[in-house]
């Protein structure tokens, strides 16, 4: 049997932080477990400066979290060993828009390391918000 190379979409990215965790999503007034696995903070190829959270389920490597980091992203500590955040998860087709997620780590020391990695790579806020009033207008020539 011939070995076939597997492309994950992470080939042009650098992993700057990785840790084992359990992913939960807040739905219908309660937390629902989405899976256990390795969560990574990946930064795209040099010059682009985009970063994202990627998490695959242990065992079958199914993508369970694929979320871009954004400048206003807030991480909140939860029960000493976890962190919550809101993001758009493009790994599922179920729902569009922001959802609240929680990551629970084996040890509380990972909370600080994860928070620092996300803060370092989540980008900078735009200095001027683009609105119809301040967008460039087409010339009449």
């Amino acid at each position: 049997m011939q070995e076939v190379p597997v492309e994950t979409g992470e080939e042009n990215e650098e992993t700057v932080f990785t840790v084992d965790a359990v992913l939960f999503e807040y739905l219908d007034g309660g937390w629902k477990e989405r899976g256990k696995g390795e969560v990574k903070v990946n930064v795209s190829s040099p010059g682009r400066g985009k970063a994202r959270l990627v998490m695959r389920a242990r065992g079958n490597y199914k993508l369970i979290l694929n979320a871009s980091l954004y400048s206003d992203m807030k991480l909140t500590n939860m029960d000493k060993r976890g962190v919550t955040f809101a993001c758009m998860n493009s790994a599922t087709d179920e729902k569009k828009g922001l959802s609240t997620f929680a990551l629970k780590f084996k040890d509380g020391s990972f909370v600080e390391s994860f928070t620092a990695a996300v803060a370092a790579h989540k980008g900078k806020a735009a200095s001027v918000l683009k609105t119809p009033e301040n967008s460039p207008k087409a010339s009449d020539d």
Side-chain angles (χ1 to χ4, degrees):
M1 201 172 209
Q2 194 174 352
E3 188 174 317
V4 178
V6 177
E7 290 189 23
T8 63
E10 298 178 45
E11 289 79 14
N12 296 325
E13 296 178 333
E14 176 189 354
T15 301
V16 295
F17 183 80
T18 182
V19 65
D20 283 334
V22 182
L23 178 69
F24 296 90
E25 184 176 8
Y26 193 77
L27 292 171
D28 303 322
W31 292 102
K32 181 177 180 185
E33 184 175 324
R34 288 294 178 200
K36 298 175 183 175
E38 190 176 64
V39 63
K40 302 178 198 176
V41 178
N42 283 357
V43 179
S44 60
S45 58
R48 294 190 55 198
K50 293 186 178 185
R52 66 182 179 143
L53 295 175
V54 178
M55 186 172 183
R56 295 183 183 279
R58 189 176 297 124
N60 64 4
Y61 298 105
K62 178 185 175 197
L63 187 65
I64 55 176
L65 179 65
N66 181 19
S68 294
L69 301 182
Y70 57 95
S71 59
D72 294 333
M73 188 174 208
K74 294 189 180 14
L75 301 174
T76 305
N77 288 352
M78 176 181 174
D79 296 336
K80 297 181 186 174
R81 294 189 313 153
V83 64
T84 62
F85 54 94
C87 67
M88 289 177 44
N89 184 8
S90 60
T92 62
D93 297 328
E94 294 174 15
K95 145 180 162 180
K96 304 287 183 206
L98 288 177
S99 292
T100 302
F101 291 92
L103 287 168
K104 186 174 180 183
F105 307 109
K106 288 182 181 178
D107 186 347
S109 64
F110 293 120
V111 172
E112 201 171 305
S113 303
F114 176 77
T115 304
V118 170
H121 295 95
K122 68 180 180 179
K124 305 203 174 12
S127 56
V128 176
L129 184 64
K130 291 184 180 178
T131 63
E133 291 78 28
N134 67 10
S135 295
K137 299 195 178 16
S139 62
D140 294 328
D141 311 284

